[in-house]
Amino acid sequence: MMHTTAIDPSLPLCDLHRHLDGSIRLQTLLDLAQQHGIRLPADTPEGLRPHVQVVGAEAGLMEFIGKFRYLTEVLVDAEACRRVAEENVEDARAEGLDYIELRFSPWFMAERYGLNAADVVAAVIDGTRAGSERTGVKAGLIGILSRTYGVDTARAELDALLQHRDGLVALDLAGDEQGFPAHLFGEHFKRARDAGLHLTVHAGEADGPASVWSAIRDLGAERIGHGVRSVEDEALLDYLVEHRIGLEVCLTSNVHTSTVADLASHPVGRLLRRGVLLNLNTDDPGISGIDLPHEYQQAAPAAGLAADELRQIQANAVEMAFLQPEERDNLLRKSQLKHSKSDI
């Protein structure tokens, strides 16, 4: 499945921007629906696919998010959340990933059935841990504040996340970027920073460079989710390069959300050649119908990236990962050991 021309087997393969509630197996949707008496628009994986996966570009970010409808429809209880988290790590292993950071909004997952958000957090941590233990794939969890619910709900969502702070590596802000600007959530991110969490923020996707500046200045973002519209501001590019603030680039997703018109016009190559730290990720593979090898082998060449640039991107992901230095060293050592054994 993985070709060495696109993916370097001597380096870890990492996905740092994947929404676990946007990566639910079609069969799991059907299983949970049957188990809980939920009516879905189809009763086979192939019949269900067009209802949850993108066909062509969506009209925009919020329309893309609308594809989550049937995914959250089956998150009936904490056990369903735990199962989805565990399967996310199993699927990462099947893709050949060595490390994954999974992000989730407990409020978004809890809302449909009025679940306790802290219970959702605990279930996701438990499922992820079980998946890691079984597969050997290291996983970090990023809690999302869904800006679309507003400041007060985000405060309650943060409370739920911080109840289980030890199971998380970072905090993120996602949702309606234009309707709920980053500066509204300054207090929330200060609390997370004080709790020792890393910080990443969705910005420069549905909105322009000002959104990225705000994520950095108002929230203290160490990484930017997407951030591709940074290319419109030379001063911002200088800042990103100087401060090694990484962009979590999601090629196929950017086409599906109409952030870019097509892969050929994606600015990833310009950003990389400008010296911006960035990597490749899947975003919502269950909705986009992709995996990370697809992004390296098909999307990246279509976006004009060469083999040596892909190797650099793969190495960048290791640098950008929210890992302790010894964890990063272990990840590199493990990957090199695996590669050397495969050469024997």
Side-chain angles (χ1 to χ4, degrees):
M1 183 180 189
M2 291 187 294
H3 307 306
T4 54
T5 52
I7 297 171
D8 187 333
S10 70
L11 285 170
L13 186 60
C14 309
D15 192 334
L16 307 182
H17 189 122
R18 183 178 299 201
H19 295 258
L20 69 79
D21 46 1
S23 185
I24 303 178
R25 298 172 185 171
L26 293 172
Q27 189 58 55
T28 296
L29 291 177
L30 294 168
D31 290 349
L32 290 171
Q34 183 177 34
Q35 184 181 333
H36 295 284
I38 297 165
R39 287 193 59 138
L40 294 178
D43 56 8
T44 65
E46 286 311 307
L48 194 56
R49 191 180 302 278
H51 297 278
V52 299
Q53 286 186 2
V54 172
V55 179
E58 294 297 294
L61 176 62
M62 297 313 292
E63 287 80 1
F64 179 86
I65 290 174
K67 287 285 185 183
F68 280 89
R69 174 189 167 187
Y70 292 113
L71 306 186
T72 55
E73 189 84 5
V74 300
L75 298 179
V76 173
D77 53 22
E79 174 53 32
C81 297
R82 192 207 64 77
R83 173 178 173 175
V84 165
E86 185 170 1
E87 289 180 351
N88 261 260
V89 183
E90 292 172 354
D91 292 344
R93 178 70 188 89
E95 284 176 46
L97 301 193
D98 299 288
Y99 176 69
I100 189 164
E101 287 177 2
L102 293 165
R103 59 190 68 197
F104 69 106
S105 162
W107 209 270
F108 185 64
M109 294 175 71
E111 181 186 32
R112 176 69 178 82
Y113 295 101
L115 306 180
N116 179 285
D119 290 346
V120 170
V121 178
V124 167
I125 291 171
D126 183 58
T128 303
R129 193 169 287 148
S132 288
E133 288 172 358
R134 181 179 309 112
T135 64
V137 175
K138 187 169 180 60
L141 283 173
I142 298 175
I144 291 174
L145 300 187
S146 186
R147 63 214 304 170
T148 315
Y149 295 123
V151 172
D152 292 337
T153 297
R155 194 174 293 115
E157 188 165 39
L158 179 60
D159 289 341
L161 288 163
L162 291 181
Q163 280 186 49
H164 300 282
R165 183 262 168 272
D166 288 347
L168 306 172
V169 297
L171 184 72
D172 182 20
L173 183 67
D176 186 353
E177 183 185 350
Q178 291 177 308
F180 296 86
H183 70 82
L184 297 174
F185 303 90
E187 164 215 329
H188 307 67
F189 273 69
K190 182 182 185 304
R191 282 181 61 200
R193 187 166 55 250
D194 290 346
L197 290 173
H198 288 289
L199 305 174
T200 181
V201 177
H202 280 68
E205 180 188 19
D207 208 354
S211 174
V212 180
W213 277 121
S214 181
I216 295 166
R217 291 170 169 166
D218 297 324
L219 302 186
E222 302 164 66
R223 290 187 343 216
I224 300 294
H226 301 289
V228 292
R229 293 189 60 189
S230 301
V231 77
E232 300 168 19
D233 184 337
E234 288 294 327
L236 175 56
L237 293 179
D238 288 339
Y239 192 92
L240 294 173
V241 172
E242 180 183 354
H243 295 276
R244 301 295 281 174
I245 296 174
L247 303 185
E248 306 156 359
V249 175
C250 308
L251 294 173
T252 298
S253 171
N254 288 162
V255 176
H256 286 170
T257 59
S258 298
T259 301
V260 298
D262 51 38
L263 288 170
S265 59
H266 199 289
V268 63
R270 280 180 285 157
L271 289 163
L272 187 68
R273 290 156 207 151
R274 184 69 159 69
V276 175
L277 181 68
L278 60 84
N279 79 314
L280 295 183
N281 311 277
T282 55
D283 201 11
D284 298 288
I287 293 175
S288 288
I290 57 163
D291 58 14
L292 193 59
H294 171 278
E295 296 300 273
Y296 274 85
Q297 295 164 3
Q298 296 179 50
L305 294 172
D308 61 329
E309 292 175 322
L310 286 172
R311 189 184 191 284
Q312 181 59 56
I313 286 170
Q314 200 176 336
N316 287 350
V318 182
E319 178 182 342
M320 290 169 58
F322 290 141
L323 290 167
Q324 297 295 328
E326 64 273 16
E327 293 176 319
R328 189 173 284 105
D329 290 344
N330 287 339
L331 186 64
L332 285 164
R333 195 177 305 113
K334 183 178 175 184
S335 182
Q336 287 160 359
L337 182 64
K338 182 175 69 175
H339 176 55
S340 64
K341 284 182 177 176
S342 71
D343 286 342
I344 296 173

